[in-house]
Amino acid sequence: MNVAAFDLNAMLDNLMAGPLRDLEPMERAIFRTRAELYWPDVDRPIALLYGERGDFAEWCNRMLEVVARGYAERPPELRLLDLRRQSQPDWFQHPGMLGYVCYADRLAGNLQGVADHIPYLKELGVTYLHLMPLLKPREGPNDGGYAVADYREVNPALGTMADLARLAGQLRREGISLCIDLVCNHTAKEHPWARRAAAGDPVYQDYYLMFPDRTMPDAYEKTLPEVFPDFKPGNFTYYDAIERWVWTTFNEYQWDLNYANPAVLAEMLAIILYLANQGVEVLRLDAVAFMWKRLGTDSQNEPEAHAILQVFRALSRIAAPGLILKAEAIVSPPKLIPYLGRGSATNKECELAYHNVFMVLLWSSLAERKVTLMTRALQNMPPIPSNTAWVTYVRCHDDIGWAVTDEDAAEVGLSGPAHRAFLSEFYSGRFPNTFAIGATFQYNPRTGDRRISGSCASLAGLEQALANEDIHAADLAIRRVLLIHNLIFAYGGIPLLYMGDEIGLLNEYSYLDDPNLADDNRWMHRPKMNWAQADERQDWWTVPGRIFRGLSDMLATRRQIIAFHAQAGAYPVWTHNEAVFGLLRDSPRGRVLVLANFSERPQTVPGYRLYEMFFGGRLVDRLTRRSFDGSPGITLEGYEALWLTPETEMETNGNPPESNEGGER
Ligand code: GLC
């Protein structure tokens, strides 16, 4: 190991005389302080990644130089943001946080259009805007922008990098943090690194994973799953021009990067800081589970993939502590939590991660009208570190993969494969009497795996109900939409509204006419914003009105409930009614018992069970502000959800006691 050869102090002295020399003494001192504080977080992961290399110390120096340059270039407004964020490190954990996810072009044409729609976002209470991939993609099919040809340029159809920086500033002044994607696992094969590699440059060939013959690909394939079996079977693609097999986990045109080469990590770090310096506050790190490959494994969630994220975090915090990182790791429950850091990396990996398990369980419970699996599977997940938060969501731009483990299923008497198959049948619209209209995405005959595409409203039954002109069914569908959103609001963390779900947009089939999109049915749930429909949002009697106002009302209440802060524990509890999900939010900030009925029929939670959970006596439903006696039990209407606090504890929730406006239930 050459780990000892690296001398932090000597390097810091060099940097002070180098890239940092033009800064004020106080700014230089801040850099030194942060480097001293954060380098211990880098030490261990960087040694895991590159500690065996003879040039280890040089690479540490190179990385710190990248960080120093990023720091020197940080605009004053963003230095102030750093100060704000460090002074209030729980800023993203507040119950007032609300995310909105959209494609800039599909919402409003381009980046300027997005700026014009800030008032709409504010009306919803959005504090975090995730714009789907917007860096310059390759021409032609590009996986919805996840094949990037230039990380320092914006897709010209949307605007320029200057437009992005301007938009980030406009959003920030309105209290909205900008989140964008950083596709860090792979580049487009048209990226300049890939072009040089394809031209035979060995320096850049080492940026990717390339093999002269099938020996290694065959050895890896023995244990690798396929992500897009329909689009591109296998994980490698042969290119005649270079006579090499290239690692391509996703589509042929997406080349996986080789992080065993420290040059790749240094390049990506520079890109992270470049984007942070444009005013991006949250980076969604795409497909992070795949960043390290290891023979004999599925090459996902390897310890080195975590080490890369830990290095990204610690080093980016030296230059831009206003930036936070979000892991996109759509993996099974035991694999998911480590992305928020654990053991010595607790609070030192990503601040945010998608709770895909919760999302899947919400749909599973709706199909089953039972919450046993959801309750048990969530109970089996350990708590997350205090300075992190889930990103909760019901739908996103991707398909739904049934991340239910066989072990969790078995604990509630289900067969994992059979249950997953049932869910695919149900949501592709094949199961008898299903309410859903969706489609199968990437059927894998080898594993039987069938993922699902479809919009929230269509999967929840609205498309079918409207087609049948069935008002009762439409009402139930709207209640389902509101119910699952209610839970992502109550769970803690940043709930994401996926564009169009707030007004009940249905599956959209026009993508079939575009040859670049037609083979990817995920476009059915990536519709263009329907502003005519959105204009009905204040009209209670319309579908958009019921959903939009229903969500807005819940959100207005949520903002007031400090017990919903992400640091407060979220404990799933048995309610003694298998159709009613119970979630206890419990902390010194106060207690809220969330009850959610997943069936269309009224359901009762017995009084003794409430009493056992210390929710006996008079309770207040924070959503309707009604106060009532819970001793005889509580009956919830079909798909109703309640946010309950014992009346005697209303003060400790930090809120003034609410009036008994609605009277008894
Ligand atoms: C992520 C994205 C998905 C994309 C894949 C490859 O999973 O969410 O849309 O296809 O990464 O970049």
Side-chain angles (χ1 to χ4, degrees):
M1 277 247 210
N2 293 284
V3 174
F6 173 67
D7 180 345
L8 177 64
N9 268 320
M11 184 57 192
L12 286 174
D13 290 342
N14 283 342
L15 294 174
M16 296 302 152
L20 303 174
R21 73 178 168 269
D22 293 335
L23 297 183
E24 298 290 325
M26 180 52 103
E27 288 175 326
R28 290 208 298 266
I30 290 174
F31 184 88
R32 186 180 275 276
T33 307
R34 289 201 201 132
E36 285 165 357
L37 282 173
Y38 286 112
W39 189 264
D41 296 350
V42 182
D43 242 0
R44 186 198 291 246
I46 206 166
L48 175 68
L49 293 167
Y50 310 122
E52 302 293 336
R53 296 178 61 106
D55 54 0
F56 174 77
E58 282 156 49
W59 279 110
C60 291
N61 289 339
R62 277 271 287 276
M63 307 274 177
L64 267 179
E65 201 176 317
V66 168
V67 175
R69 287 186 199 287
Y71 179 72
E73 285 161 13
R74 188 124 171 107
E77 192 186 338
L78 297 175
R79 286 169 193 253
L80 266 180
L81 174 77
D82 293 337
L83 187 64
R84 288 181 78 96
R85 296 310 191 214
Q86 290 202 299
S87 311
Q88 192 194 28
D90 69 340
W91 66 274
F92 59 90
Q93 299 179 304
H94 281 232
M97 285 298 289
L98 173 68
Y100 191 82
V101 188
C102 64
Y103 292 87
D105 57 336
R106 293 185 166 239
L107 180 85
N110 55 25
L111 295 180
Q112 180 54 49
V114 173
D116 297 340
H117 285 86
I118 291 177
Y120 178 77
L121 300 174
K122 291 202 71 173
E123 189 183 328
L124 268 167
V126 170
T127 61
Y128 160 120
L129 177 65
H130 173 195
L131 292 178
M132 294 297 293
L134 48 69
L135 300 179
K136 190 176 174 197
R138 74 189 291 268
E139 305 274 329
N142 55 39
D143 190 19
Y146 286 102
V148 177
D150 190 337
Y151 292 95
R152 289 184 170 82
E153 259 189 62
V154 164
N155 181 349
L158 301 176
T160 63
M161 194 48 85
D163 293 335
L164 184 70
R166 193 172 320 111
L167 175 63
Q170 285 170 296
L171 289 166
R172 187 172 324 108
R173 286 185 279 281
E174 296 289 348
I176 302 175
S177 298
L178 177 64
C179 167
I180 70 167
D181 286 85
L182 179 62
V183 187
C184 48
N185 174 68
H186 46 267
T187 71
K189 68 175 178 184
E190 288 76 10
H191 188 283
W193 305 333
R195 284 192 196 275
R196 283 185 213 166
D201 183 337
V203 170
Y204 286 93
Q205 290 197 341
D206 197 26
Y207 275 40
Y208 298 92
L209 295 121
M210 299 192 165
F211 308 92
D213 55 44
R214 280 298 303 182
T215 317
M216 289 311 290
D218 283 343
Y220 278 110
E221 284 288 14
K222 284 196 183 118
T223 50
L224 287 180
E226 288 173 292
V227 179
F228 289 154
D230 282 359
F231 298 162
K232 183 195 58 63
N235 288 276
F236 301 86
T237 307
Y238 189 70
Y239 293 91
D240 281 330
I242 44 171
E243 299 180 328
R244 293 273 195 290
W245 288 91
V246 178
W247 197 308
T248 51
T249 300
F250 296 91
N251 290 288
E252 168 274 322
Y253 51 76
Q254 290 162 303
W255 287 12
D256 286 50
L257 285 163
N258 173 25
Y259 279 91
N261 175 0
V264 170
L265 193 138
E267 297 263 21
M268 209 40 90
L269 179 66
I271 292 167
I272 289 176
L273 297 179
Y274 174 80
L275 295 173
N277 284 350
Q278 309 306 311
V280 171
E281 295 186 32
V282 184
L283 276 177
R284 172 194 182 276
L285 302 179
D286 183 62
V288 290
F290 297 87
M291 283 199 298
W292 194 269
K293 327 291 184 192
R294 173 161 286 121
L295 198 61
T297 71
D298 63 0
S299 292
Q300 289 185 44
N301 313 301
E302 288 297 308
E304 289 85 349
H306 290 282
I308 294 165
L309 295 172
Q310 289 156 21
V311 171
F312 279 166
R313 179 184 186 271
L315 290 182
S316 63
R317 287 187 83 78
I318 298 174
L323 178 78
I324 61 172
L325 303 179
K326 175 170 66 165
E328 190 254 349
I330 306 306
V331 297
S332 69
K335 305 279 169 62
L336 178 57
I337 299 230
Y339 287 95
L340 293 172
R342 69 170 171 188
S344 60
T346 299
N347 289 327
K348 297 180 196 300
E349 199 163 318
C350 291
E351 283 82 2
L352 300 171
Y354 285 89
H355 205 331
N356 69 303
V357 174
F358 188 38
M359 179 273 292
V360 161
L361 291 166
L362 291 169
W363 290 106
S364 168
S365 306
L366 278 182
E368 271 199 288
R369 279 85 165 172
K370 266 194 207 165
V371 300
T372 37
L373 177 62
M374 174 153 71
T375 309
R376 176 44 58 96
L378 291 175
Q379 282 178 340
N380 283 345
M381 290 180 78
I384 61 173
S386 54
N387 293 351
T388 66
W390 289 116
V391 169
T392 57
Y393 63 115
V394 304
R395 284 301 287 120
C396 70
H397 70 292
D398 275 329
D399 49 288
I400 305 179
W402 303 114
V404 171
T405 64
D406 291 348
E407 293 76 15
D408 286 342
E411 284 185 31
V412 295
L414 294 172
S415 136
H419 186 64
R420 291 191 293 269
F422 157 69
L423 293 172
S424 295
E425 288 283 293
F426 192 94
Y427 285 110
S428 60
R430 295 200 188 89
F431 197 78
N433 293 325
T434 179
F435 48 72
I437 296 186
T440 301
F441 178 72
Q442 305 287 327
Y443 171 52
N444 188 336
R446 221 157 37 101
T447 57
D449 191 29
R450 279 177 295 160
R451 284 133 65 188
I452 291 293
S453 288
S455 79
C456 172
S458 290
L459 294 178
L462 192 61
E463 185 169 342
Q464 194 187 89
L466 294 179
N468 295 340
E469 297 184 7
D470 182 338
I471 292 183
H472 176 63
D475 174 61
L476 291 178
I478 291 170
R479 285 163 182 249
R480 289 186 197 104
V481 170
L482 293 175
L483 177 77
I484 55 181
H485 279 95
N486 179 301
L487 286 174
I488 64 163
F489 296 162
Y491 196 83
I494 306 180
L496 298 185
L497 287 178
Y498 182 64
M499 188 201 84
D501 287 350
E502 76 277 19
I503 52 167
L505 290 192
L506 305 177
N507 292 338
E508 235 276 333
Y509 302 98
S510 60
Y511 74 97
L512 292 166
D513 303 330
D514 182 337
N516 283 335
L517 312 180
D519 68 344
D520 187 341
N521 69 18
R522 290 177 298 176
W523 288 99
M524 73 198 272
H525 54 256
R526 301 171 181 174
K528 290 209 174 67
M529 187 57 169
N530 184 332
W531 288 108
Q533 209 163 308
D535 284 344
E536 296 173 3
R537 65 187 179 275
Q538 296 306 341
D539 185 351
W540 182 253
W541 300 106
T542 63
V543 169
R546 272 197 63 194
I547 298 181
F548 190 96
R549 292 193 45 186
L551 297 177
S552 306
D553 288 352
M554 284 188 246
L555 288 165
T557 304
R558 175 180 184 266
R559 278 193 282 279
Q560 311 292 323
I561 303 182
I562 60 166
F564 280 170
H565 191 285
Q567 283 172 2
Y571 309 104
V573 289
W574 298 108
T575 61
H576 292 198
N577 180 325
E578 63 178 16
V580 180
F581 180 63
L583 180 74
L584 181 60
R585 302 297 315 275
D586 191 1
S587 72
R589 292 183 166 89
R591 297 194 307 149
V592 178
L593 176 64
V594 177
L595 296 179
N597 178 3
F598 273 79
S599 88
E600 44 269 87
R601 295 178 211 294
Q603 299 287 341
T604 300
V605 174
Y608 70 84
R609 184 64 188 130
L610 294 169
Y611 183 78
E612 281 170 356
M613 292 188 287
F614 303 101
F615 277 77
R618 291 200 71 76
L619 302 170
V620 178
D621 172 26
R622 314 296 291 274
L623 285 163
T624 56
R625 298 173 169 239
R626 282 178 305 183
S627 127
F628 55 90
D629 182 13
S631 322
I634 296 179
T635 299
L636 295 98
E637 297 303 321
Y639 297 127
E640 189 182 19
L642 305 172
W643 294 349
L644 301 171
T645 296
E647 203 172 74
T648 49
E649 293 176 23
M650 286 298 288
E651 294 274 5
T652 40
N653 269 261
N655 305 314
E658 285 150 305
S659 65
N660 183 9
E661 283 168 19
E664 295 285 320
R665 278 177 60 79

